[in-house]
Structure formats: C-alpha cells, structure tokens
Amino acid sequence: MSQPDASPAQPDTAQPDTAQPDAALTHDVREFARRRPRPFALLGSELALVFRRRRTWAMLGALALVPILIAVAVRLTTGDDNGGPAFLGDITNNGLFVSFTALTVSIPLFLPLTVGVVAGDTVAGEASHGTIRYLLVAPTGRVRFILVKFAGAVAFCLAATLLIVLVGAAIGAVLFPIGPVTLLSGTQVDGWSYAGRALLLALYVTLSMLGLSAIGLFASTLTSVPVGAMAATVVLAGASQVLDQLPQLDWLHPFLFSHQWLGFGDLLRDPIAFDSFGSNAVLQLGYVVVFGALAYSRFASKDILS
C-alpha cells in the first residue's frame, strides 16, 4: 500500500504576493521623490536652453568682437589725428576705457539686435517646436512659464553686457597701459574703484534692456514664427531711438524705453550719482509691468495647440 504524499506544502508560496506590493510601493515612492516639484528646475532648463544654442554663442562672440575691434583699431591708428570722439583718444592713455567705449558703441545697435533675437524667440520658439503643451502639463502653469521665459532673456542681457566689459578690460590691458582713471568729474580713481564702476555700468545697461526684453516677450506670444517676433522687436528698438532724436517730440522722449540707454554718465562721477540709474529703473519697470501683463494676458487666453 503506497504511502500518501507527505511532502510539506511550500511555505513561501504566499511571500511573493505580500512582497510584491511592498516593492511596488517602494518604487512609487522613489519615483515620486525623483519627480517631485523642483522650484528652480524649469529656470535651470530655460537657462541651459538659451546658452546651449549655437546662435547664442555666435551672438556673444560677435559682441565680444566689438571691444577687440575698437582696441585694435585705436592701437593701429595711434598718433593719427582722425578727429574721432574724445573717449577714443582716452583709450591710448588707459586701456580700461575700452570697456566704456565698447558699451557706448554696442548700446544703439548690437545689444538691441541680440536681445531682440533672444526675447522674440522665448514663446514663439517653443510654439514652433511644439513643446509648449508638454511644458504646461508638467505642471508648470502659464504665469510661471512667462516668468521663466523673461528670466532667460534677462540672463542673456546680463551675460552680454558683462562679456563686453570683461573682454574690453582684458584687451585694453594687453594693448594699452593701465593706471588711474580720470572720471568725468575730473577726479582720479584707481583701477579697482573703476572696476566697481564698470560693474555698475554693466548693471545699468542690463537694466536698460529689460523694457525691450518685455516687448519682445509680448511679441513672441502673438505668433508661432520666431523670426517675426524677433524682427518686430528689433524694429521697435530702432524706431524708439529715431523718435528720441526728433526735437518735435520732446514731450514723448521721457516715455520711450530707449531714452535713458546712454544716461550712465552719473556713474562715472565722484561721488557717484544714482539719479539716472533710478529714473531708468522706473522707466524700464513700467515697460516690464505693462508688456509683461500683456504677454500673460495673451498667453493665458491662447489655445495651446502645439
């Protein structure tokens, strides 16, 4: 008579059923921790997007050439009486003036051109690539999206002006003597004091580009073609400067966003006067508020199909 099968039942058969939910729960917790909202993740992604593009580096390279070309031209023509602006002659006595001269030359055309390209591409560029709806699903929110895009344009403005100042100081030190700087008020300061003033100049010029950046952001919400927004922003920058030169429109000049672009002379006096800095800040803040609100209003009511 055969013995009944007395092999014990497998005691571990139920363990996978109880262990699997724990493993799945652990995986979900880790996934949530990895994907939890990070306040500055979108800003970091935007900055990486702006400064990763070859176009951005090409524009920064072109801006860096401005002080180099000025310094080389002055160096090669030293001793020739060409009747140029007085501050070009000051470069031969002190290379630190290259930064100031390069900023003065870049503000009317080169900086507005590059800022218009970056600001005009903020929203329209995402629309042309069909990535806006994916960013909003993140979730990002439309207010945060607009703020981050504007912050990316401001970061480019700061990088561009600092690059001009630093390259100007470097090439000036290589080609010309460096010494105490004579300010517009007639007093002399050492190189370190002038370096602080050069930093203030860069901040002033960055501040001057905020209004144009806000205008470009608004133009970028009106179209899905980045080139159109870029062109509109650059044209408005030129039109504002033309209007600022017409004496018949004196009443309009204080309200033009370009009116204070070259008003940084107070920073080169002793003591430093911040009157023009404050006036420029109020003017640019007004443009940022108005066109920032228009940009959000347009973007908030826009059907995101791309």
Side-chain angles (χ1 to χ4, degrees):
M1 183 175 177
S2 62
Q3 297 292 332
D5 187 6
S7 60
Q10 297 295 330
D12 297 334
T13 55
Q15 288 184 358
D17 296 332
T18 57
Q20 185 64 29
D22 293 338
L25 180 60
T26 302
H27 174 75
D28 292 342
V29 170
R30 291 177 179 175
E31 190 69 13
F32 174 77
R34 187 177 66 86
R35 295 186 178 181
R36 67 180 182 274
R38 293 175 293 174
F40 299 103
L42 185 61
L43 178 59
S45 176
E46 177 65 18
L47 294 178
L49 177 64
V50 172
F51 291 101
R52 191 173 56 223
R53 290 172 172 166
R54 294 181 180 178
R55 179 181 63 199
T56 301
W57 287 102
M59 291 189 297
L60 291 175
L63 290 174
L65 283 177
V66 174
I68 294 176
L69 292 176
I70 291 175
V72 171
V74 173
R75 181 63 180 177
L76 294 177
T77 58
T78 298
D80 297 337
D81 187 10
N82 296 324
F87 53 78
L88 289 179
D90 293 335
I91 294 177
T92 60
N93 299 323
N94 198 322
L96 294 177
F97 274 105
V98 175
S99 298
F100 171 73
T101 306
L103 279 177
T104 305
V105 171
S106 299
I107 286 176
L109 175 61
F110 300 111
L111 272 175
L113 178 62
T114 56
V115 171
V117 170
V118 173
D121 188 61
T122 48
V123 179
E126 298 286 359
S128 65
H129 290 91
T131 55
I132 292 183
R133 59 181 177 180
Y134 298 106
L135 291 173
L136 295 180
V137 169
T140 297
R142 302 198 180 199
V143 174
R144 186 182 174 196
F145 181 84
I146 290 294
L147 291 176
V148 166
K149 287 297 180 181
F150 181 70
V154 173
F156 174 82
C157 296
L158 180 60
T161 53
L162 286 177
L163 180 66
I164 294 174
V165 170
L166 293 177
V167 173
I171 192 65
V174 171
L175 298 181
F176 303 101
I178 298 295
V181 178
T182 302
L183 301 177
L184 297 180
S185 57
T187 57
Q188 284 190 340
V189 297
D190 57 23
W192 290 109
S193 297
Y194 183 77
R197 294 172 186 265
L199 179 59
L200 288 176
L201 286 175
L203 294 177
Y204 184 96
V205 175
T206 300
L207 180 67
S208 299
M209 295 293 119
L210 295 188
L212 182 62
S213 298
I215 293 174
L217 178 67
F218 171 60
S220 189
T221 62
L222 300 177
T223 179
S224 59
V225 182
V227 176
M230 296 174 190
T233 306
V234 174
V235 168
L236 286 175
S240 177
Q241 295 181 80
V242 170
L243 294 176
D244 199 30
Q245 300 300 318
L246 299 179
Q248 295 83 357
L249 298 177
D250 288 342
W251 59 272
L252 181 63
H253 294 170
F255 302 101
L256 297 174
F257 61 87
S258 62
H259 183 62
Q260 297 283 349
W261 278 5
L262 296 174
F264 45 72
D266 291 343
L267 300 178
L268 297 177
R269 302 183 185 277
D270 190 25
I272 297 177
F274 289 94
D275 295 341
S276 60
F277 204 109
S279 300
N280 191 27
V282 172
L283 177 64
Q284 302 303 326
L285 180 61
Y287 274 89
V288 169
V289 170
V290 171
F291 283 92
L294 290 175
Y296 170 72
S297 176
R298 168 63 181 171
F299 189 66
S301 59
K302 185 178 181 180
D303 292 332
I304 305 300
L305 302 176
S306 59

